[in-house]
Each structure stands twice: as structure tokens, then as C-alpha cells.
Amino acid sequence: MTAYTGFVDNSTMLAHYKMLETIRDVCLAEGWTILRYDTAITNRELLMMAPGLSGTEQIFCGVYCYQDSNADYYNLAVATMKGYVAANSFLTQPGISPVLGVPAHNQRIDYWLSVNGQRLNVAMKVGTPVYESFGIGKFFPYASPGQYPQPLFAAGMLTSASATRYSETTHTMPWKGNRNNLRMHFNDGTWKAPLATPWGQTTMANACRPAEATYALYPVMLYDSGNIYGALDGIFHITGFDNVVENTLVIDGKNYVVIQDVGRTSFGDYIALELS
């Protein structure tokens, strides 16, 4: 797994266009196959195939831009697919998840981008600032490949590619689960919104405290009333108690950055994004 941090701006193109280009460059460098990168259209789009951690899988993901200069929003939209057909449009790719919007910016975007063979996790600082995050690809299933052949997920900040500016105050990060901006793929072909630990029990998420100077990471497990399906790769709950956004920490030799839920600062409004 490799992490990339930096920023894009509007010095050569609109910043959300540049963010799409950066995602393409990073995923290509990490061994993903670029299936489509179309910059001739207004809503520029990117379709990719990840090789999985084994190097022999086919995990299909996509990102596109959408914007309205009159409404002053410049966003990304993300999805995960079960296949790829070159002749199909983005929205008609085989088995595509619901497309989930992510408010971005036409000006400077600071980013933390973490990619491995099975998933892409991204956090962005935009605007006032607020913090937006998303992920696409495959999670770690608690089942064998024969039992659960396509443990795919898609996570965005919005429940659709809606006309929403980053300054809108009700949108929220997907990792808390139990709303339609986090979707997982089920064996029957549907994409449903799971619950996610520890936010499924709000009191638990808000009550976590660090032990002395040590912060603990809590895995984000996907579940419903009858099953625990697996855990997200590279996304963890971390308490906001005595903590602030963009803090970096090392736990068991791995690097993490703390990201908050848009502008929220309660104890349960933070994740740790794995960077190594």
C-alpha cells in the first residue's frame, strides 16, 4: 500500500479536474489498469480495474466530475462495479453501485490518498475548510471466496450525485453506516446500506477515550441484524477526545492521519485513515 499527500489547485485546470487526474496517476502507478479516462467531456470520467491483493483479481471502480458554476459546486462522484464494458456509459457499467457524490472544489484541494491492490481511500480538505472522504473497491470479508466472491463497497459523502456544495451542513461521512452513502454488495446482486461499528451504537462511538497517551483504532465492521460481513480496509474509528483533525500518529509501525466528518468535532466524528 502506498499513500500520497499533497494538494491540487486551479493553476492549470479546475481543481476537481486535477484531483481526478491525480487519482488516475496514482492508481496507474500502483498497478491499476486505466480502462477509460475521458477529458473531452464536461463531466470528466475515469474507470479503472484494480488487481486485488493477490494480483489476479478484477475489481472495477470509477470516479467522475460534475459541476455547476452558477451554483458554485465542483464535485466528484464515485462508484464500484462488478464488470466493465467498453461500449457502456459510466452509469450503465455491469452491476454498478449507486453513484455517490463527494463535494470538492474548483480551487485548492488538500488530499490524503491511500491505495493498494483492492481499494482506494481518499480524504480531502476543501473550502472553509471542511473534510470530505470516500472509498471504492473491496473490503476484507469474514467469509471464503466461495461463500462471498465479491465483497465490494462504495462510500461517498452524498447519497447520490446531487447538486450539493461543500458548505451544505447536513451531509456526513459514509463510515458511520446506516445511511445510503455507504453501500456494500451482497451475493444476490443488490447494493445495500449496512450498519458500521462502532457507530451502530452511538454511545460507544462517543464514549471512547485514549488510554493515557495511547490512541486505539477500532475496525469499521459492516453488519446487519443477522450477520457481520467484514471490515473496511484502511479506515478506522478513532476518538476525537483530546484529538484534532490532521493529527498524524504511528500505531504498530503504521502511519495514520486523523480526518473529521465535514466540520463536526464531537468525539465520535473522526476516523483514522491508514497511510502505510
Side-chain angles (χ1 to χ4, degrees), residues 35-36 38 45 47 83-94:
L35 302 170
R36 180 187 302 167
D38 190 348
E45 62 184 44
L47 288 163
Y84 172 73
V85 176
N88 285 21
S89 68
F90 189 106
L91 297 178
T92 60
Q93 291 300 320

Side-chain angles (χ1 to χ4, degrees), residues 28-110:
L28 181 63
E30 295 302 315
W32 291 35
T33 300
I34 306 304
L35 302 170
R36 180 187 302 167
Y37 179 55
D38 190 348
T39 61
I41 56 178
T42 301
N43 290 352
R44 298 184 180 189
E45 62 184 44
L46 172 65
L47 288 163
M48 305 175 288
M49 182 179 72
L53 298 181
S54 67
T56 61
E57 299 173 69
Q58 295 182 331
I59 303 165
F60 300 94
C61 303
V63 185
Y64 71 82
C65 300
Y66 69 102
Q67 57 280 314
D68 184 332
S69 59
N70 292 324
D72 193 33
Y73 69 82
Y74 301 85
N75 295 355
L76 303 177
V78 302
T80 300
M81 302 93 176
K82 293 170 61 178
Y84 172 73
V85 176
N88 285 21
S89 68
F90 189 106
L91 297 178
T92 60
Q93 291 300 320
I96 188 171
S97 71
V99 173
L100 307 172
V102 185
H105 211 332
N106 63 328
Q107 301 180 35
R108 176 170 171 142
I109 300 171
D110 294 83

